[in-house]
Amino acid sequence: MGPPRGCLVDQHWPWWPLLPLYPYGRRPTLVRELVPGQVWSFEQLQGIFYVAVPIRMTVLRLREGLMLYGPVAPTRELLAQLRQLEASYGPVITIVLATSSGLEHKLPLPALARVFPRAQVWVSPGQWSFPLRLPLRWLGFPAGRTQTLFEDGLPHGDQLLWDSLGPVDLGLGCFQDVSCLHKASGSLLVTDALVAIGPEPPELFDADPTPLLFHARDRGDEPLSDGAEQRRKGWQRLVLFASYFQPAFLEVLPLGQVWSQAFQPGLRNPRSYFGLYPFRWQAGWQEAFSALLADGQPKLQLAPVLERLVFPRHRDLLLAWLRRLSRLQGISQMVGAHYLAPMPCTGADFARLAAELEARPWAPSGGDWATLAAIDGRLLDWGLVPGSRPK
Ligand SMILES: [Fe+2]
């Protein structure tokens, strides 16, 4: 097992220090054709401390050319693949940033837009920056060809159906996720709003499974070893990290114990973080992962982070959006910007999800949700998000 395949120069992403996420300056891209001749997925990895999940740009073929939804880092490798699609299906004519809050989707936009100077750029309303509120062109969005969805119109309305989840006021800024149904393929595109998680690690890890192997271990002094079982175990734990930050079955070890297991022979390298592994998984963690699936299969769902930190006091807004989607004709699959895609589904699945979310306790605070609930409580106490703690 070695570093990711492909040329180092071609996978280079020079702007990584703006949002220093794994795999930093090197971003291998996996391209998959989701609907022949119509929809393609361009996936990269991003994460913190080897908690890496796929981030996806979706490419749609429209009558006039190509539309890019959800920017990712435009490395040379990625652009070479995109140029091949342009040669077959026409130029990139539209680039869409459909989220107002997702920094990981926002940061690649200026560089991507510069590569396609003739493309129109559309962004979701309510773009914000912190700590200063800067005009769009100061954020690097190209002046003169950047328009705001809904406020300035909607692109390709004859081929696409647009809807919006939000805005939700988060205090410092707002959350908004603009979804888009590509009528020709039945693909519903969303950014962060909904996810579907598979039981097996995504193909994207095949080139370098290090993040999976890192989390498959039980102690910091265990060497990284490879195998299908380790990859699956690592993936499932990584999903729990990304979903709950600190799930209930995860114990964070005291520093002395972490230190005593570190720097063992074979682990004195940055790939293993020098054996520093401050976690211990307790029996039962597999059930927490299983709860994110439906009988072992992916299901349409709202990520726990969104439920507990974005929508804890806005369930009705979410339900109304899901019910609007359920009435759209012709949905056959969802393509989100993270995790598994395409997720086969129909309008009835969105209605079912809305009914499920309405029937169960909303934004719980116990068990796996405790860390997310504590963050929400802290933000409320500090007055950083509007609202107050429930009595
Ligand atoms: Fe995201």
Side-chain angles (χ1 to χ4, degrees):
M1 175 186 47
R5 285 191 300 267
C7 171
L8 188 63
V9 172
D10 287 353
Q11 296 173 347
H12 183 59
W13 168 234
W15 297 100
W16 72 268
L18 288 176
L19 187 65
L21 297 181
Y22 176 88
Y24 312 110
R26 191 169 187 195
R27 299 286 167 101
T29 306
L30 176 74
V31 180
R32 294 185 298 129
E33 187 174 50
L34 303 185
V35 179
Q38 295 200 71
V39 186
W40 297 264
S41 163
F42 282 58
E43 291 162 38
Q44 298 174 348
L45 274 182
Q46 60 145 34
I48 298 168
F49 202 48
Y50 281 154
V51 178
V53 296
I55 178 169
R56 173 177 299 107
M57 176 172 81
T58 306
V59 181
L60 290 183
R61 178 190 176 187
L62 301 176
R63 277 198 283 277
E64 306 85 348
L66 300 173
M67 181 176 105
L68 313 181
Y69 178 100
V72 292
T75 60
R76 279 164 63 166
E77 178 187 61
L78 177 141
L79 293 175
Q81 303 251 31
L82 213 40
R83 296 294 185 203
Q84 281 184 20
L85 290 185
E86 283 191 301
S88 303
Y89 302 109
V92 170
I93 47 167
T94 306
I95 301 174
V96 179
L97 170 68
T99 171
S100 60
S101 56
L103 200 56
E104 72 275 24
H105 310 282
K106 201 181 295 200
L107 278 175
L109 176 64
L112 187 67
R114 280 196 293 275
V115 179
F116 301 101
R118 304 173 85 86
Q120 289 297 309
V121 175
W122 288 83
V123 300
S124 101
Q127 295 295 328
W128 52 284
S129 55
F130 180 82
L132 296 173
R133 289 181 186 241
L134 302 173
L136 287 183
R137 62 194 162 82
W138 286 32
L139 299 176
F141 298 180
R145 60 186 173 108
T146 299
Q147 292 167 278
T148 302
L149 293 160
F150 300 104
E151 291 171 13
D152 297 321
L154 292 166
H156 314 292
D158 56 331
Q159 299 161 74
L160 305 171
L161 285 175
W162 299 87
D163 201 330
S164 170
L165 172 59
V168 173
D169 185 5
L170 298 177
L172 296 173
C174 71
F175 171 94
Q176 189 156 4
D177 203 309
V178 179
S179 55
C180 162
L181 174 63
H182 179 224
K183 291 193 266 187
S185 69
S187 305
L188 179 77
L189 274 45
V190 301
T191 306
D192 294 320
L194 294 171
V195 294
I197 296 168
E200 299 292 333
E203 187 186 341
L204 194 54
F205 286 100
D206 287 357
D208 181 13
T210 305
L212 306 179
L213 310 183
F214 182 79
H215 287 293
R217 299 172 309 151
D218 291 319
R219 293 164 57 103
D221 51 7
E222 266 181 52
L224 272 62
S225 63
D226 196 4
E229 188 48 41
Q230 285 93 329
R231 291 186 183 205
R232 189 177 303 121
K233 193 171 164 188
W235 166 245
Q236 299 185 351
R237 287 175 170 182
L238 193 153
V239 167
L240 288 173
F241 266 118
S243 299
Y244 299 109
F245 298 165
Q246 190 184 336
F249 292 99
L250 182 73
E251 186 187 350
V252 177
L253 300 177
L255 191 61
Q257 199 170 339
V258 175
W259 206 253
S260 70
Q261 293 176 0
F263 308 108
Q264 300 299 314
L267 294 165
R268 294 170 192 151
N269 55 67
R271 178 170 169 257
S272 312
Y273 280 104
F274 301 96
L276 291 165
Y277 188 75
F279 313 114
R280 182 184 293 139
W281 292 88
Q282 295 166 341
W285 66 266
Q286 288 96 337
E287 282 84 86
F289 177 78
S290 300
L292 295 170
L293 278 69
D295 298 324
Q297 295 304 311
K299 65 177 180 184
L300 208 60
Q301 63 188 301
L302 178 72
V305 171
L306 254 66
E307 176 170 341
R308 202 61 193 77
L309 295 181
V310 176
F311 290 97
R313 290 161 288 279
H314 299 279
R315 182 175 65 167
D316 290 346
L317 194 94
L318 177 76
L319 297 180
W321 176 70
L322 289 170
R323 290 187 167 125
R324 286 200 304 277
L325 293 182
S326 76
R327 291 191 291 272
L328 291 181
Q329 298 295 312
I331 298 181
S332 61
Q333 59 182 12
M334 183 193 81
V335 182
H338 299 288
Y339 293 109
L340 180 143
M343 172 69 197
C345 60
T346 66
D349 292 304
F350 294 92
R352 200 172 304 125
L353 177 60
E356 268 173 41
L357 295 179
E358 202 167 28
R360 71 160 168 79
W362 182 246
S365 297
D368 290 321
W369 302 76
T371 301
L372 297 176
I375 295 171
D376 183 43
R378 212 50 75 69
L379 294 173
L380 286 171
D381 290 348
W382 291 341
L384 291 175
V385 296
S388 56
R389 278 192 195 235
K391 297 282 177 265

PDB file of all heavy atoms in Angstrom, residues 42 69 125 127 146 159 187 211 213 232 281 316 331 353:
ATOM      1  N   PHE A  42     -17.665  13.808  -9.445  1.00  0.00           N
ATOM      2  CA  PHE A  42     -16.232  14.060  -9.269  1.00  0.00           C
ATOM      3  C   PHE A  42     -15.987  14.124  -7.762  1.00  0.00           C
ATOM      4  O   PHE A  42     -16.398  15.075  -7.112  1.00  0.00           O
ATOM      5  CB  PHE A  42     -15.831  15.391  -9.915  1.00  0.00           C
ATOM      6  CG  PHE A  42     -15.682  15.322 -11.419  1.00  0.00           C
ATOM      7  CD1 PHE A  42     -16.723  14.925 -12.223  1.00  0.00           C
ATOM      8  CD2 PHE A  42     -14.474  15.670 -12.011  1.00  0.00           C
ATOM      9  CE1 PHE A  42     -16.590  14.869 -13.609  1.00  0.00           C
ATOM     10  CE2 PHE A  42     -14.321  15.615 -13.397  1.00  0.00           C
ATOM     11  CZ  PHE A  42     -15.380  15.211 -14.203  1.00  0.00           C
ATOM     12  N   TYR A  69     -22.175  21.489 -10.214  1.00  0.00           N
ATOM     13  CA  TYR A  69     -22.943  21.772  -8.991  1.00  0.00           C
ATOM     14  C   TYR A  69     -22.092  21.341  -7.798  1.00  0.00           C
ATOM     15  O   TYR A  69     -21.761  20.164  -7.646  1.00  0.00           O
ATOM     16  CB  TYR A  69     -24.248  20.991  -9.042  1.00  0.00           C
ATOM     17  CG  TYR A  69     -25.151  21.115  -7.829  1.00  0.00           C
ATOM     18  CD1 TYR A  69     -26.249  21.968  -7.827  1.00  0.00           C
ATOM     19  CD2 TYR A  69     -24.927  20.348  -6.694  1.00  0.00           C
ATOM     20  CE1 TYR A  69     -27.084  22.062  -6.725  1.00  0.00           C
ATOM     21  CE2 TYR A  69     -25.751  20.433  -5.583  1.00  0.00           C
ATOM     22  CZ  TYR A  69     -26.839  21.303  -5.607  1.00  0.00           C
ATOM     23  OH  TYR A  69     -27.675  21.392  -4.524  1.00  0.00           O
ATOM     24  N   PRO A 125     -28.496  32.281  -1.969  1.00  0.00           N
ATOM     25  CA  PRO A 125     -28.615  33.549  -1.239  1.00  0.00           C
ATOM     26  C   PRO A 125     -27.941  33.436   0.128  1.00  0.00           C
ATOM     27  O   PRO A 125     -27.676  32.331   0.614  1.00  0.00           O
ATOM     28  CB  PRO A 125     -30.130  33.727  -1.070  1.00  0.00           C
ATOM     29  CG  PRO A 125     -30.766  32.762  -2.011  1.00  0.00           C
ATOM     30  CD  PRO A 125     -29.794  31.646  -2.219  1.00  0.00           C
ATOM     31  N   GLN A 127     -24.904  34.376   1.267  1.00  0.00           N
ATOM     32  CA  GLN A 127     -23.478  34.051   1.439  1.00  0.00           C
ATOM     33  C   GLN A 127     -22.909  34.903   2.559  1.00  0.00           C
ATOM     34  O   GLN A 127     -23.173  36.093   2.642  1.00  0.00           O
ATOM     35  CB  GLN A 127     -22.706  34.329   0.143  1.00  0.00           C
ATOM     36  CG  GLN A 127     -23.108  33.451  -1.013  1.00  0.00           C
ATOM     37  CD  GLN A 127     -22.785  31.976  -0.790  1.00  0.00           C
ATOM     38  OE1 GLN A 127     -21.801  31.648  -0.124  1.00  0.00           O
ATOM     39  NE2 GLN A 127     -23.626  31.102  -1.311  1.00  0.00           N
ATOM     40  N   THR A 146     -21.429  36.695 -11.500  1.00  0.00           N
ATOM     41  CA  THR A 146     -21.954  35.948 -10.357  1.00  0.00           C
ATOM     42  C   THR A 146     -23.359  36.436 -10.051  1.00  0.00           C
ATOM     43  O   THR A 146     -23.581  37.628  -9.868  1.00  0.00           O
ATOM     44  CB  THR A 146     -21.067  36.129  -9.110  1.00  0.00           C
ATOM     45  OG1 THR A 146     -19.767  35.640  -9.403  1.00  0.00           O
ATOM     46  CG2 THR A 146     -21.625  35.351  -7.915  1.00  0.00           C
ATOM     47  N   GLN A 159     -35.040  22.962 -17.821  1.00  0.00           N
ATOM     48  CA  GLN A 159     -34.494  21.606 -17.629  1.00  0.00           C
ATOM     49  C   GLN A 159     -34.306  21.237 -16.163  1.00  0.00           C
ATOM     50  O   GLN A 159     -34.064  20.082 -15.835  1.00  0.00           O
ATOM     51  CB  GLN A 159     -33.133  21.495 -18.337  1.00  0.00           C
ATOM     52  CG  GLN A 159     -33.218  21.735 -19.837  1.00  0.00           C
ATOM     53  CD  GLN A 159     -31.854  22.072 -20.425  1.00  0.00           C
ATOM     54  OE1 GLN A 159     -31.019  21.195 -20.557  1.00  0.00           O
ATOM     55  NE2 GLN A 159     -31.629  23.330 -20.762  1.00  0.00           N
ATOM     56  N   SER A 187     -32.475  13.121 -11.434  1.00  0.00           N
ATOM     57  CA  SER A 187     -31.515  13.254 -10.327  1.00  0.00           C
ATOM     58  C   SER A 187     -31.822  14.497  -9.505  1.00  0.00           C
ATOM     59  O   SER A 187     -31.866  15.606 -10.049  1.00  0.00           O
ATOM     60  CB  SER A 187     -30.084  13.371 -10.860  1.00  0.00           C
ATOM     61  OG  SER A 187     -29.796  12.277 -11.699  1.00  0.00           O
ATOM     62  N   PRO A 211      -6.723   6.398   6.103  1.00  0.00           N
ATOM     63  CA  PRO A 211      -7.666   6.883   7.134  1.00  0.00           C
ATOM     64  C   PRO A 211      -8.505   5.748   7.715  1.00  0.00           C
ATOM     65  O   PRO A 211      -8.796   5.734   8.913  1.00  0.00           O
ATOM     66  CB  PRO A 211      -8.545   7.884   6.379  1.00  0.00           C
ATOM     67  CG  PRO A 211      -7.708   8.332   5.232  1.00  0.00           C
ATOM     68  CD  PRO A 211      -6.907   7.134   4.829  1.00  0.00           C
ATOM     69  N   LEU A 213      -7.658   2.485   7.917  1.00  0.00           N
ATOM     70  CA  LEU A 213      -6.815   1.587   8.712  1.00  0.00           C
ATOM     71  C   LEU A 213      -6.449   2.240  10.036  1.00  0.00           C
ATOM     72  O   LEU A 213      -6.321   1.577  11.064  1.00  0.00           O
ATOM     73  CB  LEU A 213      -5.549   1.209   7.933  1.00  0.00           C
ATOM     74  CG  LEU A 213      -5.801   0.721   6.498  1.00  0.00           C
ATOM     75  CD1 LEU A 213      -4.496   0.311   5.841  1.00  0.00           C
ATOM     76  CD2 LEU A 213      -6.813  -0.416   6.481  1.00  0.00           C
ATOM     77  N   ARG A 232     -13.524  -1.988   6.482  1.00  0.00           N
ATOM     78  CA  ARG A 232     -14.942  -1.817   6.819  1.00  0.00           C
ATOM     79  C   ARG A 232     -15.098  -1.227   8.233  1.00  0.00           C
ATOM     80  O   ARG A 232     -15.862  -0.289   8.440  1.00  0.00           O
ATOM     81  CB  ARG A 232     -15.641  -3.179   6.742  1.00  0.00           C
ATOM     82  CG  ARG A 232     -17.147  -3.102   6.869  1.00  0.00           C
ATOM     83  CD  ARG A 232     -17.794  -4.463   6.716  1.00  0.00           C
ATOM     84  NE  ARG A 232     -17.448  -5.092   5.452  1.00  0.00           N
ATOM     85  CZ  ARG A 232     -16.828  -6.273   5.337  1.00  0.00           C
ATOM     86  NH1 ARG A 232     -16.508  -6.969   6.395  1.00  0.00           N
ATOM     87  NH2 ARG A 232     -16.548  -6.776   4.140  1.00  0.00           N
ATOM     88  N   TRP A 281     -12.845   2.440  21.563  1.00  0.00           N
ATOM     89  CA  TRP A 281     -14.240   2.128  21.232  1.00  0.00           C
ATOM     90  C   TRP A 281     -14.735   1.038  22.159  1.00  0.00           C
ATOM     91  O   TRP A 281     -14.090   0.001  22.316  1.00  0.00           O
ATOM     92  CB  TRP A 281     -14.334   1.672  19.775  1.00  0.00           C
ATOM     93  CG  TRP A 281     -14.038   2.772  18.816  1.00  0.00           C
ATOM     94  CD1 TRP A 281     -12.813   3.134  18.335  1.00  0.00           C
ATOM     95  CD2 TRP A 281     -14.976   3.685  18.251  1.00  0.00           C
ATOM     96  NE1 TRP A 281     -12.928   4.206  17.495  1.00  0.00           N
ATOM     97  CE2 TRP A 281     -14.243   4.570  17.414  1.00  0.00           C
ATOM     98  CE3 TRP A 281     -16.365   3.853  18.347  1.00  0.00           C
ATOM     99  CZ2 TRP A 281     -14.860   5.595  16.705  1.00  0.00           C
ATOM    100  CZ3 TRP A 281     -16.973   4.874  17.631  1.00  0.00           C
ATOM    101  CH2 TRP A 281     -16.220   5.732  16.822  1.00  0.00           C
ATOM    102  N   ASP A 316     -40.124  22.228  11.407  1.00  0.00           N
ATOM    103  CA  ASP A 316     -41.233  22.445  10.476  1.00  0.00           C
ATOM    104  C   ASP A 316     -40.751  22.893   9.100  1.00  0.00           C
ATOM    105  O   ASP A 316     -41.306  22.507   8.078  1.00  0.00           O
ATOM    106  CB  ASP A 316     -42.214  23.481  11.043  1.00  0.00           C
ATOM    107  CG  ASP A 316     -42.965  22.906  12.242  1.00  0.00           C
ATOM    108  OD1 ASP A 316     -42.911  21.674  12.436  1.00  0.00           O
ATOM    109  OD2 ASP A 316     -43.584  23.695  12.983  1.00  0.00           O
ATOM    110  N   ILE A 331     -38.576  12.112  -9.718  1.00  0.00           N
ATOM    111  CA  ILE A 331     -37.326  11.856  -8.995  1.00  0.00           C
ATOM    112  C   ILE A 331     -37.032  10.348  -9.022  1.00  0.00           C
ATOM    113  O   ILE A 331     -37.887   9.538  -8.680  1.00  0.00           O
ATOM    114  CB  ILE A 331     -37.400  12.306  -7.523  1.00  0.00           C
ATOM    115  CG1 ILE A 331     -37.640  13.809  -7.418  1.00  0.00           C
ATOM    116  CG2 ILE A 331     -36.113  11.928  -6.778  1.00  0.00           C
ATOM    117  CD1 ILE A 331     -37.692  14.328  -5.981  1.00  0.00           C
ATOM    118  N   LEU A 353     -39.796   9.980   4.832  1.00  0.00           N
ATOM    119  CA  LEU A 353     -38.798  10.549   5.739  1.00  0.00           C
ATOM    120  C   LEU A 353     -39.433  11.658   6.587  1.00  0.00           C
ATOM    121  O   LEU A 353     -39.215  11.739   7.796  1.00  0.00           O
ATOM    122  CB  LEU A 353     -37.600  11.084   4.941  1.00  0.00           C
ATOM    123  CG  LEU A 353     -36.507  11.763   5.752  1.00  0.00           C
ATOM    124  CD1 LEU A 353     -35.901  10.804   6.780  1.00  0.00           C
ATOM    125  CD2 LEU A 353     -35.391  12.290   4.836  1.00  0.00           C
TER     126      LEU A 353
END
